[in-house]
């Protein structure tokens, strides 16, 4: 499987280099506000770091959703099937590569955010917790969409994903236009509520999230292995 992981790195090297400037630019914003406005309030710095976290994870999400595209060829599928445990190694390489990429990015962001915190002298515990929750969310999204990508190919699989995202987005827009937004209060009060939730050590949700996510990730892998051969009908020759 290590050979397949190396193949993933080589195949997606160009894409990784393309998104690198976006990530560097986003991470740069973790330092710029601190240098230009050294007296930032703690919640203001948390807001900046939170926005950067979401931006980078969304960028990774777009990249990782296309990880199957390079192997959607009948010849490659026929070769993998002929190798002992080839299907399991093929799918496992995709899942491990995505998980390793997301985990590595969280580590990098943690280092940059800690530097910003040290310069400004503020506590970013909430951001570290938010980063971990974004990581679990990223892996959960992969667990939900990978079986679709394996079974129907990248084009058809992404169509299902776009329909789902469009429905959720439309629902949020409708609620934003006609729903009661007073429950969220001001931006500062909303951030305070989020901080209290994320730093609640007794929260059952926060405690169970990692275990539940990894279990679902593994189950998704097993499902994808079973669906791999059926997806060949959507592959190019």
């Amino acid at each position: 499987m290590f050979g397949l992981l190396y193949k993933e790195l080589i195949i997606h090297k160009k894409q990784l280099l393309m998104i690198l400037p976006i990530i560097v630019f986003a991470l740069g914003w973790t330092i710029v506000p601190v240098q230009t406005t050294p007296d930032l309030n703690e919640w203001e710095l948390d807001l900046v770091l939170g926005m950067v976290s979401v931006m980078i994870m969304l960028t990774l999400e777009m990249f990782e959703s296309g990880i199957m595209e390079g192997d959607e060829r009948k010849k490659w599928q026929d070769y993998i099937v002929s190798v002992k445990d080839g299907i399991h190694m093929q799918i496992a390489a995709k899942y491990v590569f995505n998980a390793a990429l997301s985990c590595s990015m969280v580590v990098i962001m943690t280092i940059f955010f800690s530097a910003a915190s040290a310069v400004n002298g503020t506590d970013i515990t909430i951001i570290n917790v938010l980063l971990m929750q974004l990581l679990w969310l990223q892996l959960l999204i992969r667990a939900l969409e990978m079986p679709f990508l394996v079974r129907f190919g990248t084009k058809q699989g992404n169509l299902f994903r776009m329909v789902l995202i469009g429905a959720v987005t439309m629902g949020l827009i409708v609620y934003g236009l006609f729903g009661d937004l007073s429950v969220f209060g001001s931006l500062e009060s909303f951030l305070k509520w989020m901080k209290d939730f994320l730093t609640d050590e007794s929260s059952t949700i926060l405690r169970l999230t990692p275990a539940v996510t990894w279990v679902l990730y593994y189950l998704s892998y097993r499902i994808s292995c079973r669906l791999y051969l059926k997806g060949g009908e959507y592959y190019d020759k």
Side-chain angles (χ1 to χ4, degrees):
M1 190 181 73
F2 291 104
L4 291 173
L5 284 173
Y6 180 71
K7 177 185 72 70
E8 294 298 328
L9 183 60
I10 296 301
I11 289 179
H12 299 290
K13 180 175 63 176
K14 291 184 178 180
Q15 291 93 325
L16 288 172
L17 291 176
M18 288 176 61
I19 67 175
L20 184 61
I22 300 175
I23 294 174
V24 171
F25 174 79
L27 288 175
W29 276 101
T30 65
I31 305 298
V32 171
V34 176
Q35 292 180 334
T36 57
T37 314
D39 57 344
L40 277 176
N41 293 324
E42 184 173 311
W43 74 269
E44 292 174 320
L45 180 60
D46 287 344
L47 179 60
V48 173
L49 299 184
M51 292 174 62
V52 169
S53 303
V54 173
M55 180 188 301
I56 292 178
M57 296 307 280
L58 282 176
T59 302
L60 278 185
E61 198 280 331
M62 291 186 290
F63 167 77
E64 292 176 0
S65 64
I67 194 171
M68 292 296 302
E69 189 172 2
D71 293 339
E72 292 178 349
R73 290 173 293 135
K74 286 292 295 182
K75 289 183 179 180
W76 175 256
Q77 186 186 55
D78 293 339
Y79 166 73
I80 285 297
V81 172
S82 66
V83 177
K84 182 180 179 180
D85 293 328
I87 294 178
H88 290 85
M89 291 190 295
Q90 162 80 0
I91 300 300
K94 302 293 185 180
Y95 277 78
V96 171
F97 184 78
N98 276 342
L101 184 61
S102 296
C103 291
S104 300
M105 187 52 59
V106 168
V107 171
I108 293 173
M109 284 192 286
T110 300
I111 294 173
F112 271 83
F113 294 174
S114 297
S117 173
V119 173
N120 201 54
T122 57
D123 181 19
I124 60 166
T125 301
I126 180 178
I127 297 301
N128 291 330
V129 177
L130 176 62
L131 276 176
M132 294 308 300
Q133 295 307 308
L134 287 175
L135 173 61
W136 306 134
L137 178 60
Q138 184 87 318
L139 294 178
L140 180 60
I141 293 174
R142 296 282 80 74
L144 294 175
E145 75 174 9
M146 279 295 287
F148 287 98
L149 298 178
V150 172
R151 175 60 180 87
F152 299 104
T154 299
K155 293 181 180 179
Q156 296 295 327
N158 277 330
L159 179 61
F160 284 105
R161 184 169 65 94
M162 290 174 61
V163 171
L164 179 60
I165 293 176
V168 174
T169 302
M170 182 61 65
L172 292 175
I173 292 175
V174 171
Y175 183 82
L177 292 174
F178 305 103
D180 182 14
L181 300 179
S182 62
V183 295
F184 298 104
S186 64
L187 177 60
E188 186 173 356
S189 62
F190 175 73
L191 292 175
K192 184 179 183 302
W193 172 84
M194 181 178 291
K195 181 177 181 179
D196 292 339
F197 173 75
L198 292 177
T199 54
D200 183 5
E201 297 181 357
S202 63
S203 174
T204 304
I205 296 178
L206 296 181
R207 287 184 174 184
L208 293 180
T209 298
V212 172
T213 301
W214 285 120
V215 169
L216 292 176
Y217 201 69
Y218 176 75
L219 291 177
S220 174
Y221 155 72
R222 300 294 299 184
I223 294 173
S224 294
C225 289
R226 291 180 174 272
L227 296 176
Y228 181 68
L229 287 177
K230 295 181 180 180
E233 59 187 272
Y234 294 94
Y235 295 171
D236 296 329
K237 295 183 178 181

